Amino acid sequence: MSNIYEQDLPRNDANFATFTPLSFIERTALVYPQRTAIIHGDLRQTWAQTYTRCRQLASALAQRGIGLGDTVAVMLPNTPPMVEAHFGIPMSGAVLNTLNTRLDAEALAFMLDHGEAKAVIVDPEFSAVMAKALKLRQRQRDVLVIDTEDALYTGQAERIGSLRYDDFLASGDPDFAWQMPLDEWQAIALNYTSGTTGNPKGVVYHHRGAAMNAVSNILEWDMPKHAVYLWTLPMFHCNGWCFPWTVAARAGVNVCLRRVDPKAIFDAIRTHKVSHYCGAPIVHGALVAAPDELKQGITHQVKAMVAGAAPPAAMIEGMEKLGFALTHVYGLTEIYGPAAVCVQHESWNELDIGERARLNARQGVNYHLQRNITVMDPATMQPVPRDGETMGEIMFRGNITMKGYLKNPKATQDAFAGGWFHTGDLAVMYPDGYVKIKDRSKDIIISGGENISSIEVEDVLYRHPAVMAAAVVAKPDEKWGETPCAFIELKAGAQVTAEDIVAHCRQHLAGFKIPRAVVFGELPKTSTGKIQKFELRKRAGSTEAIDV
């Protein structure tokens, strides 16, 4: 039988439009042209001005033959040109490649080659490393290099490009008639994974996924119109978890921040009445541990989002004392940053801090516009029982999932085996449908045949009042094969011994899970604040890790 609802009811321009986050800034500039879009030092830029500059950027790129399917890389901190790049570059049809500002020249050269960048926009702070990266490229094709300027940057810098950013924009048409994407599946961004071994993989985002994650951010946070968002999270990281597009959709304010510093953060929150910010646990931990005098004068509600590791009880308690409401999200580069959230319930407010921390430590449920999250046995592709004990792999499916890995069909096929995106994270699912990570598959410690979750041990370490940050990895052991090795970064002024740490763990863990080695010192971190466990594994295999 024919479907009567498909007869003479074709899809056309009148009843269907491509879903893209670029439409968000178009609407906001129309409805709220004079509202502030960007704050940076003394700069105050409206949404009308920002939209015009984005169109000029798109036009200037188009005039130089850069368009559909081309890559434009940017090496920028959280400054106004970075906000503009998230709209102006895809408005030209090109793909935005935000480069990690912490990387060395060799890694950047690989990305410029692999992504086939035709242009790169560079902040003066990174001109030296980018000049070296451009020389190290294997494919010496012409690349248009554009230098930005920033009055807030006081260091030494040299011009490495042929054009200044503002001059480049001035050459573009402020009324440029940018085109909607031909298809929602069209690429909007290229983000490289931080890859601990071998070359990083290029994760490709599409317009539909970017728009959906941007809207989901609003829904998960109940984000109001004209929210004031502080850029503590690097915009190069998963396109700032899609928040450049989220802020545009809400006609909010982008408060730019060149670098993360507790004083600068508290000053910005107080001065601009910041309502929302995101960050890795290390960022929130630094705010909690900051001197009390920095925290004075903040009387309004601030919403904070944390990802990268579950927030320990000390962090939750510390944020509550600040008056900050903490939301725990979970994700990866391949799913546009966060695509799951630990939705909190009012009934949790009546629980003690320990129980609330346990509940909030879960990765939770899927974002509104992500189709599903589940935990499955990767061998059988069957869901694990919802018993909070049976371990499997976290998997996602839905629109907030990458197109795939650029020029890497094998990795793409493996990632999507069985019709789900495989995260590599090991977890359990509780009866209420909430997911809880137990470990990365490579981070499970197998000691004498027993599996030890490094996350479980880390949770206990974070309960110690002297611990600022902690990470646990496997240390080779002749008798047991592997034993837990704890790397600990202490709070300023704190004094504690390895024996004290072991005694603390003994109160909360089975004997075989207690760290056999404890190392104190600053932990190596990525540019987004994640602890680099691959570096710690190297140290654990050396004499630096002393048994206790």
Side-chain angles (χ1 to χ4, degrees):
M1 294 178 63
S2 62
N3 184 345
I4 61 172
Y5 295 101
E6 297 300 326
Q7 295 176 14
D8 303 317
L9 299 173
R11 186 164 71 180
N12 56 64
D13 289 342
N15 63 20
F16 178 84
T18 303
F19 195 30
T20 171
L22 303 183
S23 63
F24 300 160
I25 191 173
E26 180 182 47
R27 180 183 187 276
T28 290
L30 172 67
V31 180
Y32 302 106
Q34 298 310 312
R35 289 202 70 97
T36 301
I38 298 175
I39 293 175
H40 185 54
D42 294 331
L43 173 71
R44 301 294 184 273
Q45 189 169 295
T46 68
W47 277 109
Q49 291 169 325
T50 303
Y51 183 45
T52 295
R53 288 173 63 86
C54 293
R55 292 167 81 179
Q56 287 179 289
L57 174 55
S59 172
L61 290 170
Q63 289 173 18
R64 287 159 178 80
I66 295 173
L68 184 63
D70 294 327
T71 303
V72 177
V74 298
M75 186 69 165
L76 301 168
N78 291 344
T79 53
M82 185 62 133
V83 177
E84 294 164 356
H86 277 80
F87 298 93
I89 290 171
M91 279 178 177
S92 72
V95 177
L96 169 63
N97 174 207
T98 55
L99 299 170
N100 185 327
T101 58
R102 295 283 185 86
L103 295 178
D104 58 28
E106 289 75 14
L108 294 168
F110 167 81
M111 293 173 184
L112 293 172
D113 273 337
H114 187 262
E116 301 180 25
K118 288 196 173 181
V120 61
I121 303 172
V122 184
D123 181 87
E125 184 174 351
F126 311 111
S127 57
V129 70
M130 283 305 298
K132 184 178 179 182
L134 288 162
K135 290 178 182 177
L136 288 174
R137 288 176 300 139
Q138 299 297 311
R139 303 175 181 178
Q140 286 298 321
R141 61 165 64 86
D142 289 338
V143 174
L144 177 65
V145 181
I146 304 160
D147 294 303
T148 67
E149 295 174 319
D150 185 0
L152 298 189
Y153 176 64
T154 57
Q156 297 295 315
E158 60 174 321
R159 284 190 62 185
I160 63 172
S162 57
L163 290 164
R164 294 182 188 271
Y165 180 73
D166 281 340
D167 293 337
F168 185 64
L169 261 62
S171 71
D173 180 2
D175 297 316
F176 180 65
W178 60 276
Q179 299 296 308
M180 292 285 283
L182 300 175
D183 189 288
E184 296 174 342
W185 188 244
Q186 184 175 312
I188 190 172
L190 170 65
N191 290 288
Y192 283 93
T193 61
S194 56
T196 57
T197 56
N199 290 323
K201 297 191 286 289
V203 176
V204 181
Y205 291 174
H206 48 75
H207 282 255
R208 182 177 178 84
M212 286 196 162
N213 207 35
V215 173
S216 278
N217 285 334
I218 297 169
L219 296 171
E220 308 314 332
W221 237 353
D222 294 324
M223 198 174 191
K225 280 188 288 190
H226 316 312
V228 181
Y229 183 88
L230 178 62
W231 277 108
T232 47
L233 176 77
M235 268 183 264
F236 68 68
H237 182 52
C238 307
N239 297 105
W241 298 353
C242 296
F243 273 96
W245 300 309
T246 295
V247 175
R250 291 279 74 190
V253 181
N254 294 278
V255 180
C256 293
L257 197 65
R258 282 195 69 93
R259 58 178 49 83
V260 171
D261 169 74
K263 183 180 185 304
I265 292 172
F266 282 120
D267 285 348
I269 291 174
R270 188 166 35 246
T271 301
H272 305 300
K273 293 295 185 288
V274 166
S275 59
H276 297 75
Y277 76 92
C278 299
I282 194 71
V283 174
H284 304 287
L287 297 184
V288 170
D292 288 341
E293 58 266 23
L294 297 183
K295 306 170 185 176
Q296 302 304 312
I298 298 174
T299 58
H300 65 283
Q301 168 87 130
V302 179
K303 291 191 175 183
M305 190 174 278
V306 62
M315 181 188 296
I316 294 172
E317 195 168 25
M319 297 298 281
E320 288 177 354
K321 288 180 181 178
L322 286 173
F324 292 9
L326 193 63
T327 298
H328 179 208
V329 294
Y330 162 72
L332 298 86
T333 302
E334 289 87 344
I335 47 176
Y336 297 70
V341 58
C342 186
V343 178
Q344 299 179 37
H345 297 271
E346 291 182 1
S347 59
W348 296 4
N349 296 333
E350 308 303 319
L351 303 174
D352 63 59
I353 186 66
E355 181 62 10
R356 277 190 287 128
R358 185 188 71 79
L359 293 171
N360 277 313
R362 298 183 296 176
Q363 280 57 45
V365 296
N366 55 289
Y367 255 30
H368 274 76
L369 301 182
Q370 177 69 304
R371 178 65 187 91
N372 207 354
I373 179 176
T374 191
V375 179
M376 287 202 268
D377 181 330
T380 64
M381 292 301 291
Q382 294 300 309
V384 301
R386 293 188 175 192
D387 56 10
E389 295 181 2
T390 308
M391 201 177 301
E393 182 180 1
I394 298 179
M395 301 187 193
F396 283 89
R397 66 166 27 154
N399 292 289
I400 308 177
T401 308
M402 65 173 179
K403 291 184 69 164
Y405 297 114
L406 185 68
K407 301 177 183 176
N408 198 335
K410 176 64 166 59
T412 300
Q413 182 179 2
D414 291 346
F416 292 145
W420 290 81
F421 168 64
H422 297 239
T423 66
D425 284 331
L426 303 180
V428 297
M429 184 172 278
Y430 286 86
D432 59 3
Y434 279 50
V435 169
K436 165 68 174 174
I437 287 181
K438 289 298 184 180
D439 230 323
R440 291 287 294 176
S441 56
K442 61 188 175 186
D443 289 339
I444 286 288
I445 301 165
I446 305 175
S447 184
E450 296 280 1
N451 287 356
I452 302 171
S453 164
S454 65
I455 290 179
E456 180 184 1
V457 183
E458 289 162 4
D459 283 344
V460 169
L461 292 172
Y462 271 111
R463 295 184 209 172
H464 194 287
V467 173
M468 167 70 84
V472 175
V473 298
K475 181 178 183 292
D477 186 271
E478 288 187 7
K479 179 178 181 180
W480 302 105
E482 297 175 339
T483 56
C485 176
F487 288 85
I488 294 172
E489 187 173 322
L490 296 175
K491 294 178 181 176
Q495 293 186 341
V496 67
T497 66
E499 288 75 15
D500 293 334
I501 294 295
V502 170
H504 168 74
C505 290
R506 190 168 286 119
Q507 296 176 30
H508 304 281
L509 293 169
F512 71 93
K513 297 180 180 180
I514 296 170
R516 299 294 183 93
V518 178
V519 183
F520 295 106
E522 184 176 356
L523 303 185
K525 304 175 188 74
T526 69
S527 54
T528 57
K530 293 181 180 179
I531 296 167
Q532 295 177 309
K533 282 196 170 182
F534 69 97
E535 288 289 350
L536 296 179
R537 290 188 196 97
K538 295 177 185 176
R539 298 183 191 179
S542 72
T543 56
E544 182 179 347
I546 306 301
D547 288 341
V548 292

